[in-house]
Amino acid sequence: MSLLDATQAALRLLLSGDPDLWGIVGVSLSVTLRAMLIAMPVGISLGYLLATLRFPGRRPLIVIVQGLLASPTVVVGLLLYLLLSRQGVFGQLQLLFSQTAMVIGQVVIALPVLIAFSLSAIQGADPRARETAVALGASPPRVAWTMLVEVRFALMAAVCNAFGRVVSEIGCSLMVGGNIAGVTRNIPTAIALETSKGDFAQGIALGIVLMVVALGINTAFAFFQGESQR
Amino acid sequence: MSTLTVNTLRKSFGQRRLLSIETLSLVAGKSYALTGENGSGKSTLLRILAGIEAPDSGRGHYGAASFDWQPYPDSLRREVIYVHQQPYLFHTSVADNIAYGLRARGVGPGQRERLIAAAIAWARLERLLTTPPQKLSGGERQRVALARAWVLSPKVLLLDEPTANLDAESRQQTIDLLQGLCAPQCTTVVACHDRDLIAMPGMQRLHLVGGRIEQPSTAAE
């Protein structure tokens, strides 16, 4: 099957509303959205605290977070697998090969991105913003909220970046999700599987969906970056 | 009737001792022009008084209460307002900027709206309400910042070079606003080089030299 034939078949598959294919898309988006909903408040809060608090070990902690930005997702998956497998510390929770395990994995992958970008955004903010909020009598939580609002475009860029990283990751999802059809099979793991079976049409169809999502995220990322620099 | 008193205040940056003030009393209702060479510590002193920066050591007294500068007392934070030399306006509307301190004080929506309207009228900001704060000129930003301070009726108002870097018209508008800025019991400290500000009626001069406050005198002297 030529690339053109496979692409035409993929488009037909997408437009036909194939339940298996759209089920895979649903798993992908559901897992990633849940992971982001958990990771966003935690990551942005930790980024803010790391940017504003001074404590022993802060610098090494920042270096570790920045180092984790480049952590291979398959290694995250391996560590999580060891923790969640029967012999693992959390084995009795029986989470391995479930969407919950995939969500946990994606949270772990998204957190360094959110923390590092939020930290950078807060550190890069005009120092007068914080001083003005303090001088006008704002409480520490209000000061924190004000700062996050002031750097909102940079934070949205952080969220876009983290979303883009986790929606397309395959290593962790494969390790802790197990690529079970209808349960934990998401777009990246399905593409790998279908391609290995020679079913290029479904692989390309899912690839198109992933590309559209990634393109949308990157467009939003570029928009927010532009807004933050205005 | 002493509002805010500073005792044995010390502040250094590295090896350099910037401030070494034995006693400074700011009396309620008085206005002070804080003068001194560039780098003499005027801004740092105002920032310490506002609780934005901490001194190395020192004691403060506000009314009957005595305090260390760390932590800066909450009661003081609600009554002392500091305005930057180049005021920062939040990325929201002009009205929301004026409302910021009122929200922080828990002022209800009805009263807040009335106070904001009064502040807008006072600083003649009506024509700027739809302009994004980041698009305002230096003089317009200064007026918004003064309205944001005025609306809170502060007991102590600290202004850092409010007329610096302004064109003649904006400078005059700012000086006009400053003359009606404070209630009778409000203490005002204006760090400045501007002779017209120093010569404002009732202005008492505090001169910083070598980190110390020289004997206060009236501006006319």
Side-chain angles (χ1 to χ4, degrees), chain B residues 111-133:
Chain B
Q111 192 186 354
R112 200 165 62 220
E113 291 308 313
R114 282 193 296 279
L115 289 169
I116 292 168
I120 288 167
W122 174 78
R124 298 189 297 279
L125 297 170
E126 293 88 346
R127 291 163 67 181
L128 305 178
L129 291 179
T130 54
T131 309

Side-chain angles (χ1 to χ4, degrees), chain B residues 38-61:
Chain B
N38 285 335
S40 60
K42 302 188 295 293
S43 295
T44 303
L45 176 57
L46 292 191
R47 291 162 63 83
I48 289 171
L49 294 176
I52 291 173
E53 207 161 311
D56 300 330
S57 62
R59 295 283 297 169
H61 305 274

Side-chain angles (χ1 to χ4, degrees), chain B:
Chain B
M1 205 168 78
S2 179
T3 300
L4 181 58
T5 303
V6 172
N7 288 126
T8 59
L9 186 136
R10 305 282 183 268
K11 180 70 179 178
S12 299
F13 288 100
Q15 296 297 311
R16 184 185 170 215
R17 170 65 58 86
L18 186 66
L19 294 173
S20 180
I21 297 171
E22 291 309 317
T23 301
L24 169 63
S25 286
L26 302 171
V27 178
K30 295 272 188 188
S31 296
Y32 300 90
L34 180 62
T35 59
E37 298 291 318
N38 285 335
S40 60
K42 302 188 295 293
S43 295
T44 303
L45 176 57
L46 292 191
R47 291 162 63 83
I48 289 171
L49 294 176
I52 291 173
E53 207 161 311
D56 300 330
S57 62
R59 295 283 297 169
H61 305 274
Y62 182 62
S66 178
F67 60 89
D68 290 320
W69 293 95
Q70 280 186 304
Y72 190 77
D74 282 341
S75 58
L76 209 55
R77 198 172 292 290
R78 292 293 168 109
E79 301 193 344
V80 178
I81 298 295
Y82 168 78
V83 180
H84 281 96
Q85 180 176 349
Q86 292 175 315
Y88 181 88
L89 300 183
F90 299 114
H91 289 68
T92 174
S93 66
V94 167
D96 274 346
N97 265 280
I98 297 170
Y100 189 89
L102 296 171
R103 285 205 176 92
R105 285 159 177 72
V107 176
Q111 192 186 354
R112 200 165 62 220
E113 291 308 313
R114 282 193 296 279
L115 289 169
I116 292 168
I120 288 167
W122 174 78
R124 298 189 297 279
L125 297 170
E126 293 88 346
R127 291 163 67 181
L128 305 178
L129 291 179
T130 54
T131 309
Q134 277 59 46
K135 305 283 183 195
L136 298 176
S137 69
E140 290 166 344
R141 283 168 179 244
Q142 191 64 256
R143 278 159 58 199
V144 175
L146 291 176
R148 190 167 63 180
W150 178 86
V151 80
L152 298 174
S153 304
K155 295 284 196 315
V156 180
L157 183 60
L158 309 168
L159 305 170
D160 196 354
E161 309 236 17
T163 57
N165 307 317
L166 298 184
D167 58 52
E169 187 184 349
S170 298
R171 179 177 158 278
Q172 192 53 53
Q173 285 177 340
T174 302
I175 291 174
D176 291 345
L177 284 180
L178 290 177
Q179 287 174 335
L181 183 56
C182 271
Q185 288 304 303
C186 171
T187 304
T188 312
V189 184
V190 187
C192 60
H193 297 283
D194 191 321
R195 289 178 182 219
D196 289 344
L197 275 181
I198 297 168
M200 272 169 57
M203 192 70 94
Q204 195 166 359
R205 192 166 175 185
L206 302 170
H207 193 59
L208 257 178
V209 183
R212 300 169 195 278
I213 297 282
E214 278 194 344
Q215 188 72 33
S217 60
T218 59
E221 294 167 20

